[in-house]
């Protein structure tokens, strides 16, 4: 393995992460190098501030929501390398012969749903939808227009009439969307 950043990553850990996430050996080594470069405190874990140093996240209107996704299973507001890789696996392109439970269509939809479900109650309310829409477009669209978009979205997706979007309703609304492509990042080869 040779490189400085791979010295702390044991072969058994590497193999387990490869099995769990579907990333190749080389991708894991490179992502470990990126992880350790973000870990300014050399603690073996990342905090929210470490993620916010990533330029692509800092300029992304949903950067805070994406960073939040890394911490959903965190007890102490830090993320270790394995948790980091598990979250990144949701964005790995789906390969028909190498699909796993972290990046199949349903998991990608679940991940996207959680971006909108701000309070974690497994439903998207009009207020949550408005908040996320506002994050995405900022002041470029009026509150009235955003309200109209939110109302129309809920009217189209809400099948049980509770004025909320459940995960099942979200899934049905996304049937024609190529989630597999839209939620994929080409990682280092």
């Amino acid at each position: 393995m040779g490189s400085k950043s791979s010295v702390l990553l044991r072969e058994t850990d590497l193999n387990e992460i490869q099995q769990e996430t579907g990333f190749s050996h080389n991708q894991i080594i490179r992502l470990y190098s990126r992880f350790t470069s973000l870990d300014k405190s050399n603690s073996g874990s990342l905090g929210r501030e470490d993620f916010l140093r990533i330029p692509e996240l800092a300029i992304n209107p949903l950067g805070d929501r994406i960073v939040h996704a890394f911490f959903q299973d965190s007890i102490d507001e830090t993320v270790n390398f394995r948790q980091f890789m598990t979250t990144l696996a949701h964005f790995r392109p789906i390969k028909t012969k190498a699909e796993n439970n972290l990046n199949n269509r349903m998991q990608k939809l679940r991940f996207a749903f959680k971006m909108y479900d701000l309070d974690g109650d497994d439903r998207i309310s009009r207020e949550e939808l408005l908040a996320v829409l506002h994050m995405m477009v900022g002041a470029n669209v009026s509150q009235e227009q955003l309200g109209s978009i939110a109302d129309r979205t809920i009217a189209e997706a809400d099948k049980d009439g509770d004025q909320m979007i459940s995960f099942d309703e979200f899934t049905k609304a996304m049937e024609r969307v190529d989630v597999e492509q839209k939620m994929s990042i080409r990682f280092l080869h």
Side-chain angles (χ1 to χ4, degrees), residues 1 6-11 13-14 17 28-29 32 81:
M1 287 194 297
S6 66
V7 172
L8 300 175
L9 186 61
R10 296 181 322 203
E11 194 68 33
D13 292 334
L14 201 150
I17 292 168
I28 295 168
I29 296 295
Y32 187 72
F81 182 64

Side-chain angles (χ1 to χ4, degrees), residues 46-90:
L46 302 177
R48 290 179 189 273
E49 67 281 352
D50 296 317
F51 282 94
L52 295 174
R53 279 197 287 274
I54 301 171
E56 296 85 354
L57 285 176
I59 63 168
N60 187 317
L62 293 178
D64 282 340
R65 294 299 303 151
I66 295 167
V67 170
H68 177 74
F70 280 90
F71 292 89
Q72 287 185 354
D73 297 327
S74 174
I75 297 165
D76 61 356
E77 288 297 305
T78 63
V79 174
N80 64 30
F81 182 64
R82 183 172 245 129
Q83 292 166 313
F84 178 76
M85 291 301 294
T86 298
T87 302
L88 286 180
H90 291 291

Side-chain angles (χ1 to χ4, degrees), residues 82-178:
R82 183 172 245 129
Q83 292 166 313
F84 178 76
M85 291 301 294
T86 298
T87 302
L88 286 180
H90 291 291
F91 297 100
R92 195 176 58 77
I94 295 174
K95 297 176 183 162
T96 52
K97 60 183 182 271
E99 185 177 319
N100 71 23
N101 289 334
L102 296 175
N103 82 326
N104 62 36
R105 179 175 176 81
M106 288 308 277
Q107 287 303 317
K108 286 180 183 286
L109 285 169
R110 174 66 65 191
F111 191 92
F113 180 82
K114 287 180 179 181
M115 291 283 121
Y116 290 91
D117 181 17
L118 302 178
D119 63 7
D121 69 352
D122 287 330
R123 300 178 312 180
I124 301 169
S125 68
R126 180 182 190 274
E127 291 72 30
E128 289 171 316
L129 188 54
L130 273 172
V132 174
L133 288 171
H134 187 69
M135 285 178 218
M136 293 190 310
V137 299
N140 297 325
V141 178
S142 73
Q143 281 300 116
E144 186 178 307
Q145 290 170 313
L146 286 178
S148 177
I149 293 167
D151 291 340
R152 199 168 52 243
T153 301
I154 288 177
E156 289 176 17
D158 178 27
K159 300 302 179 196
D160 63 9
D162 67 352
Q163 299 300 303
M164 304 257 197
I165 301 172
S166 68
F167 179 66
D168 287 338
E169 292 167 335
F170 182 81
T171 301
K172 285 181 181 69
M174 300 292 283
E175 277 178 341
R176 292 192 184 116
V177 176
D178 186 2

